[in-house]
Amino acid sequence: MSLLRALRQSGALRTLDDALAQSLRRLDPSTPDDVLAAAALASLAVAQGHAAFDPTQPRQFVDGDLPWPDAPEWLQTLQASRFVATPVSTETESVAAPLVLEHGLLYLRRYREYERRLALGLQRIATQSLEGDGSAIQPLFDTLFPEAANGDLQARAATLALQRALVLVTGGPGTGKTTTIARLLVLRIAQAIAAGKPAPRIALAAPTGRAAERMSESLHRAARQLEALDVEAGLIATLPSSASTLHRLLGTIADTARFRHDADNPLPFDIVVVDEASMVDLPLMCKLVEAVAEGTQLILLGDADQLPSVEAGDVLAAILGAGNLREHRVHLQRGWRQNAALQLAPLADAVREGKADQTLALLREGSLSNVHFHEGVDDPLQARPQLLQHWHALAAFDDPAEALKQANRLRLLTALREGPQGARGLNARIEALLSGRRIGTPPAWFPGRLLLVTRNHHQHHLFNGDVGICLPDEHGVPLAWFAGESGVRAFHPAALPEHESAFAMTVHKAQGSEFDEVWLQLPRSDSRVLSRELIYTAITRARDVLHIAGSGEVIAAALSRHASRVSGLGLRLSAFPMHQEPQ
C-alpha cells in the first residue's frame, strides 16, 4: 500500500492536506507517491503548529505503523521533484514552487519565506545601535535601580534597553517584566528629553485582547510605584496609558491576511513593546518585525517555559535559542506574582524541569498552601459543586462589568478540546445544567452564559480569545457584553463572530490570562498534546488558589514530554551576524 493511501485510511490527514497532494497529482500524474505524501504531511505539520515537516522523524507528526520510506531516499526523491525548490542560500527568496526543501526540512513555500523574512528582519533590528548619552540620566537610573551594582537583573535589562535596538526580557510569572519595562521606558523618555529631543513614541501590544488588558493593568500599577519613588510626574505622564492587540496595532485589512503597516508603511513608533511573545506565531511575528521602522527599538517580553503559539512556529524559543542573540537577552529570576497564600513556586519549578517524582510528591503531601490535588478525579462538576454555584450566580448581576469581573475570578481549564474531560464536552454539560436544555441541543442565549470569541471580527474589535457574558439590558433585551477600552460594550448575540461557551477553556485559550482560582482538569488517559509546558502554563494562570485533577500516571507522562515544534528559524538566526557594539 502506498504511504499516501495509508495516511488517508488511518484518518491522519485533513481534507485540506489530501487536497494539496491530489492537486499536485493532477498537475503531474508521474509525481512519485512519496512526494505527494510528503506534501500532505507538510500541510498537516503546519496545522499541528510546526513550521515544516521533518522526513527523518515522521512519527512526530503521525504516530502509526505506516509504510514510511527510508529517510535518505525520501529526501533524494523530494530533492528531484519539480514541485520542490532547493534554495542555494538561506537569505535568498525561493523560486516559485509549492514546496521547499532546506536543511532537511520540507516547507510549504509560504512558511519557509516567513522564516527567512523574520530572520532577516530580526538581524536588521539587532544590528542597529541606539544613540544617546547615559550620563545625563544616571541619577534617575540609580533611583529606579538602586541594586544595579549588586547584579540586579532588572537593571541589566534597562541597561540593554539604553544600548540595543532588539531587547529580549524573559522570566516566569511575577518576575517583574512589566515593572522593568515601565522603568526602562521612563529612562528612554528622560534620555530623549535630556538630549533636547521629543519623547519617544511608544506602542504596547500583546497577542490577545485579554493579554493586552493585563499589560495595561500591570503598567498602571508600575506607574503608581514610580510615583512612590518621586519620579517626575511629567515622565510618568508620558508613558503609554494602554496596550492594544497586535492585530489592532498593525491595522487589519478586512478579508485579507495583510496589514496596513508593513515594510513599505512601517509603524509610526520609536519603541514597540510586545508582551506574551511566546503566543505570537510565525506569520504574525514576521509581519510585526517587517513593520518595525528603521531605528525603532523592539522589546519582546515572554516566558520561555510556556506553551508555544497555537498556530505555526515556536518563535520565542527559536529566538532565545540563537546563541548570537545572547547579548540582547536578560532572563529575570523568580519573583512570582501569586498571592502570598498560594505557595506555587516549588511546584512550578518542578513542573518546568520535568521532575515528575518531585511534582507528585509535592501534590500528594499537601504541603503547598492553596494547592489542592484531586487524584483520580475526572469529573470536576461532581467533585467541586462550587463551580456550578459560581456560574449560577453570574446570571443575577445587573452590572455587566461586575459580572465579567466576577466571571474571571474562576476558570475551569482543560488539556483537550474534545472528550469527556475536554472543553467542548464539559461546556455542553455545564450549558445543560445552567439553562435546562438537553445536552446535544444547540447552545442558546441564557443569562450568565460565558462566551469565547474564536474568530477575529475587526469591525467590532472582537478578537479570538476575548471573553464575554450574556445578560439582559435594562429593558430586558438579551445582549452579549465584552470589556472595552472605555468600559463594557454590548452586542446582539446574532451579530457576534464565531464563538463558543467559555465556562471551560483549553489551556491554550487561557494563555495570556490569569484567574484568582484555577481548576485544571486532566484527561483520564495520556495524550500527545500533554506536555510539561502545558501543565506549567495552566498552573501559572492561578493567582490565589489552584486545583489539579487527574491521575499521577497522566501527570508523569505529561512531564516527560516537551511541546517541541519543528522549525528552521533558530538555525537561520544563528547563521547571521547579530552583534553591533553599542555607541
Side-chain angles (χ1 to χ4, degrees):
M1 181 185 298
S2 73
L3 176 58
L4 183 59
R5 178 174 294 181
L7 286 167
R8 233 188 257 128
Q9 291 184 358
S10 71
L13 299 180
R14 302 171 304 154
T15 302
L16 184 63
D17 309 325
D18 188 49
L20 173 60
Q22 298 311 318
S23 295
L24 298 184
R25 190 195 299 275
R26 285 193 295 272
L27 289 171
D28 185 351
S30 67
T31 303
D33 177 83
D34 287 349
V35 172
L36 301 176
L41 289 166
S43 174
L44 177 66
V46 170
Q48 293 179 348
H50 304 280
F53 168 63
D54 185 353
T56 68
Q57 301 182 60
R59 289 180 180 270
Q60 187 172 358
F61 307 87
V62 177
D63 189 11
D65 188 17
L66 300 176
W68 301 114
D70 176 71
E73 293 181 6
W74 202 357
L75 289 168
Q76 287 181 2
T77 302
L78 290 169
Q79 194 166 9
S81 172
R82 58 173 289 203
F83 295 127
V84 180
T86 53
V88 296
S89 167
T90 58
E91 299 182 37
T92 58
E93 183 177 359
S94 168
V95 298
L99 303 166
V100 179
L101 183 64
E102 191 172 33
H103 304 302
L105 302 180
L106 185 69
Y107 294 85
L108 298 181
R109 182 181 184 274
R110 180 171 45 160
Y111 285 86
R112 187 267 181 180
E113 290 305 308
Y114 282 141
E115 271 196 6
R116 181 187 68 85
R117 288 160 46 195
L118 174 56
L120 288 172
L122 289 170
Q123 182 200 31
R124 171 180 63 85
I125 299 170
T127 51
Q128 296 174 165
S129 287
L130 298 182
E131 298 179 356
D133 179 10
S135 60
I137 57 171
Q138 189 61 47
L140 177 59
F141 189 99
D142 294 340
T143 297
L144 297 176
F145 300 101
E147 296 297 318
N150 299 322
D152 178 30
L153 292 172
Q154 292 187 354
R156 167 64 179 158
T159 300
L160 275 185
L162 294 172
Q163 298 173 337
R164 303 197 184 282
L166 178 64
V167 179
L168 313 168
V169 181
T170 60
T175 50
K177 294 190 292 293
T178 309
T179 299
T180 304
I181 289 303
R183 298 187 181 196
L184 68 83
L185 290 178
V186 164
L187 287 172
R188 289 293 317 274
I189 294 167
Q191 185 181 45
I193 293 173
K197 298 179 180 179
R201 299 162 298 172
I202 303 169
L204 305 178
T208 67
R210 181 58 187 143
E213 184 182 344
R214 275 190 46 227
M215 190 182 190
S216 300
E217 293 167 353
S218 298
L219 193 73
H220 288 310
R221 288 195 297 269
R224 289 195 294 270
Q225 294 172 0
L226 292 171
E227 292 172 358
L229 293 173
D230 292 328
V231 173
E232 184 182 331
L235 295 177
I236 300 174
T238 309
L239 289 171
S241 60
S242 64
S244 74
T245 63
L246 282 171
H247 286 82
R248 194 175 304 153
L249 175 72
L250 292 171
T252 53
I253 300 175
D255 302 321
T256 75
R258 296 181 294 108
F259 294 102
R260 284 192 298 108
H261 292 290
D262 55 19
D264 296 322
N265 180 32
L267 291 164
F269 298 102
D270 304 298
I271 304 173
V272 176
V273 183
V274 178
D275 198 10
E276 298 288 357
S278 65
M279 298 173 62
V280 185
D281 59 50
L282 174 61
L284 184 56
M285 187 67 85
C286 173
K287 293 169 186 178
L288 167 68
V289 167
E290 289 186 328
V292 172
E294 293 294 327
T296 292
Q297 183 176 49
L298 176 63
I299 302 175
L300 300 178
L301 313 178
D303 184 349
D305 298 305
Q306 286 192 29
L307 281 167
S309 62
V310 177
E311 306 300 332
D314 191 355
V315 176
L316 182 63
I319 295 173
L320 298 178
N324 50 358
L325 286 174
R326 193 172 294 114
E327 294 300 315
H328 296 258
R329 175 191 180 186
V330 173
H331 181 66
L332 303 179
Q333 299 300 312
R334 190 173 71 205
W336 301 96
R337 68 163 170 257
Q338 281 76 14
N339 188 297
L342 176 59
Q343 196 177 358
L344 187 60
L347 180 65
D349 286 343
V351 168
R352 187 180 63 245
E353 295 166 12
K355 295 180 178 178
D357 291 343
Q358 183 178 343
T359 297
L360 291 172
L362 287 169
L363 290 173
R364 286 168 173 159
E365 66 191 21
S367 60
L368 301 179
S369 173
N370 277 356
V371 176
H372 308 281
F373 184 35
H374 307 269
E375 188 161 13
V377 168
D378 56 23
D379 187 351
L381 305 184
Q382 290 288 336
R384 192 160 181 80
Q386 294 93 326
L387 291 171
L388 280 174
Q389 293 170 11
H390 168 76
W391 294 318
H392 266 301
L394 297 177
F397 280 92
D398 295 323
D399 181 0
E402 183 61 26
L404 280 171
K405 181 180 177 182
Q406 291 301 314
N408 282 323
R409 285 186 51 250
L410 181 151
R411 198 56 47 91
L412 169 58
L413 302 184
T414 69
L416 305 178
R417 178 171 174 78
E418 307 294 342
Q421 289 85 39
R424 181 171 286 179
L426 285 167
N427 275 322
R429 290 180 58 204
I430 295 165
E431 289 165 4
L433 290 167
L434 295 178
S435 69
R437 297 169 66 92
R438 293 198 321 273
I439 294 177
T441 59
W445 183 96
F446 58 87
R449 184 187 177 200
L450 295 181
L451 301 175
L452 177 72
V453 174
T454 58
R455 183 179 293 276
N456 295 336
H457 192 295
H458 304 296
Q459 290 91 337
H460 288 347
H461 292 289
L462 290 174
F463 298 95
N464 187 4
D466 287 353
V467 173
I469 190 167
C470 293
L471 287 174
D473 67 6
E474 65 271 21
H475 305 294
V477 177
L479 296 173
W481 303 82
F482 290 82
E485 292 182 359
S486 56
V488 291
R489 301 173 298 145
F491 299 89
H492 191 280
L496 293 177
E498 292 180 26
H499 59 275
E500 58 192 29
S501 287
F503 302 105
M505 293 171 61
T506 63
V507 177
H508 264 297
K509 290 291 187 183
Q511 200 168 353
S513 299
E514 60 182 11
F515 313 97
D516 292 346
E517 183 175 348
V518 165
W519 178 290
L520 172 61
Q521 181 63 60
L522 295 172
R524 186 176 296 135
S525 56
D526 186 28
S527 167
R528 289 180 60 186
V529 305
L530 291 172
S531 66
R532 66 181 68 172
E533 289 83 3
L534 183 141
I535 304 292
Y536 173 85
T537 301
I539 67 176
T540 55
R541 300 309 92 204
R543 276 190 294 244
D544 301 327
V545 182
L546 171 66
H547 297 268
I548 300 177
S551 72
E553 293 77 10
V554 167
I555 291 174
L559 298 190
S560 70
R561 187 181 293 117
H562 270 299
S564 60
R565 298 281 178 83
V566 173
S567 166
L569 179 60
L571 185 62
R572 295 179 198 281
L573 291 170
S574 297
F576 290 153
M578 293 284 187
H579 189 61
Q580 175 74 33
E581 287 299 331
Q583 296 181 357

